[in-house]
Amino acid sequence: MNFFNLSSPNKFQKFSKRIYPWVSYGSIMFLFIGLFFSFFKSPPDYLQGESVRIMYIHVPAAWLSLQIYVVMAICSFVSLVYRHSLADIISRSCAPIGATFTFITLITGSIWGKPTWGAWWVWDARLTSELILFFIYIGHMIVSNSYEDYRKGDKNAAILTLVGIVNLPIIKWSVDWWNTLHQPASIMKLDTPSIDSEMLTPLFFMAISFFLIFLSIMLTRISTEIMVRKIEIIKSNF
Amino acid sequence: MENFLTFLNSDKYITYVCSSYLICFFGLLILKISSHIKEKKVIKEYTDIKRKYES
Amino acid sequence: MKAKNKRLMIIISLLATFFLGCILLFLNLRENLIYFYSPTEINESKTTKTEKIRVGGMVSKGSVKRELIMRDNEKLEKINFEITDFENSVQVNYIGILPDLFKEEQGVVVEGIFKNQIFLASKVLAKHDENYMPPEIKKMQLLKDNNDGS
């Protein structure tokens, strides 16, 4: 099939119906593999002890909170320039998922911070910028739903997303630019990862699982949104 | 298995680890279920409206 | 020009101006966003020493001294230690409970005020680095380092 046909909502919906079961079952399969490795096959850390296991959900959630924003920013750009309806639909479906993953990042990070740092929350650059990301997601959801005409909501939410992209490099490199309590990157750096391979395996499987969970929820929300718009069109035609 | 047993015996950290996993999967489950509920509702609305306007 | 291309130009130029403004703002605000200062930075600037600040560094080896004191009929632990960035160091005094990860030769961030060249901490936070490994491998690393050193 032609990949470019996917830009038509109808073709996309057919395609998404076909891959949804694979994505959905895949996410559950990888989740169980990931859980098995994170509790049975990975050792405690030399310094943090057992609390290192929180990393296996905290880090994938944090990666996704940034990746989803990148997807939304690209869609917002396409929507503003080329007025493509599918871009708006994807952006609108992604916002609640991004907000959830950011929320998970903040909460698990907080629970991890208590036994390691000795504090639930500190106002250092990494934590603060991640909190701002959460507010941007919430703002996107509020803006896109607060207009009678959904097209107006889409447009304003897209502008908000493009403005908010300033926050992404700040989150990513905050640990290098400033003295933060949060530790620097272990994997996403030019050097070799500074995590032992036994701890890298559960992290890897959890990251795949979280990504598939994101995809499966996104597909559901996109097909819902396409139908909502079809209903609007039918209503306005009569 | 050995790793799991030492984890179970670490009474200091087990509550932190378990609560973070529970909160994480609870959040994801709520999002998943609410997305499906919304989809069901919209499908119903769509079939209703199609029947209404096509007849 | 097509409407599509016009929109592309407008959006790109708007975004470019906006990001340029953000970068300028960011470069000016950079100083204010630092969570803690290193002992060297503290030594260089004598002005901020009366207000509440945070200092971060490594706990010097063999510098931790604990003693029990009585205050308001409560037994409290008073801890003396030294924070260093391998150039300068700061003496810290703290009364209270330390986080589990507080150890010699580990990162730490303390919050408090300076009084007579001694830092009176009201809060101690443990900082850990980006390395994760099982205890056995850490032990092997330490052994290897010791062998190399001798």
Side-chain angles (χ1 to χ4, degrees), chain A:
Chain A
M1 70 181 283
N2 187 350
F3 189 73
F4 289 100
N5 282 343
L6 288 179
S7 60
S8 129
N10 277 328
K11 295 262 170 58
F12 186 90
Q13 210 160 13
K14 255 181 212 154
F15 175 71
S16 112
K17 263 209 188 94
R18 219 167 52 197
I19 63 165
Y20 179 77
W22 294 97
V23 174
S24 211
Y25 289 124
S27 73
I28 293 167
M29 195 185 80
F30 277 107
L31 183 68
F32 278 107
I33 298 174
L35 281 175
F36 173 72
F37 272 98
S38 56
F39 281 106
F40 290 89
K41 282 282 172 204
S42 71
D45 186 58
Y46 77 100
L47 187 63
Q48 303 177 38
E50 302 288 346
S51 66
V52 74
R53 293 183 205 282
I54 298 175
M55 175 178 75
Y56 308 135
I57 51 173
H58 174 74
V59 173
W63 284 344
L64 268 180
S65 73
L66 300 183
Q67 282 163 17
I68 294 172
Y69 200 88
V70 173
V71 171
M72 278 170 66
I74 294 169
C75 286
S76 300
F77 185 78
V78 171
S79 124
L80 284 178
V81 177
Y82 302 104
R83 303 268 160 90
H84 207 288
S85 61
L86 192 66
D88 287 326
I89 290 169
I90 293 174
S91 183
R92 194 182 275 250
S93 326
C94 280
I97 313 173
T100 309
F101 277 111
T102 315
F103 180 72
I104 288 171
T105 310
L106 290 169
I107 292 290
T108 55
S110 179
I111 295 172
W112 195 8
K114 186 63 187 165
T116 48
W117 300 338
W120 295 104
W121 181 266
V122 291
W123 291 101
D124 85 346
R126 175 53 82 74
L127 278 70
T128 311
S129 54
E130 184 77 16
L131 186 66
I132 291 171
L133 181 72
F134 180 65
F135 289 141
I136 294 174
Y137 277 125
I138 299 292
H140 186 283
M141 285 157 71
I142 292 170
V143 168
S144 62
N145 288 313
S146 59
Y147 291 91
E148 194 83 336
D149 179 9
Y150 64 86
R151 272 162 293 216
K152 214 169 175 185
D154 283 337
K155 196 180 168 191
N156 288 331
I159 294 169
L160 174 77
T161 315
L162 285 184
V163 168
I165 206 170
V166 194
N167 197 23
L168 282 199
I170 297 182
I171 297 176
K172 178 75 186 67
W173 287 294
S174 53
V175 285
D176 304 320
W177 289 340
W178 296 290
N179 294 334
T180 54
L181 187 63
H182 194 284
Q183 66 273 24
S186 303
I187 297 171
M188 296 294 189
K189 58 178 187 184
L190 294 173
D191 226 348
T192 46
S194 42
I195 296 185
D196 190 78
S197 61
E198 274 182 304
M199 296 170 172
L200 219 48
T201 328
L203 190 59
F204 171 74
F205 282 117
M206 277 303 205
I208 294 179
S209 159
F210 273 35
F211 182 74
L212 292 176
I213 289 172
F214 153 62
L215 267 190
S216 78
I217 298 175
M218 188 183 84
L219 290 175
T220 316
R221 294 193 86 94
I222 288 176
S223 74
T224 312
E225 202 54 46
I226 290 175
M227 264 185 291
V228 167
R229 277 163 205 228
K230 276 184 185 161
I231 291 169
E232 290 282 326
I233 291 167
I234 294 173
K235 269 184 184 165
S236 62
N237 282 346
F238 285 91

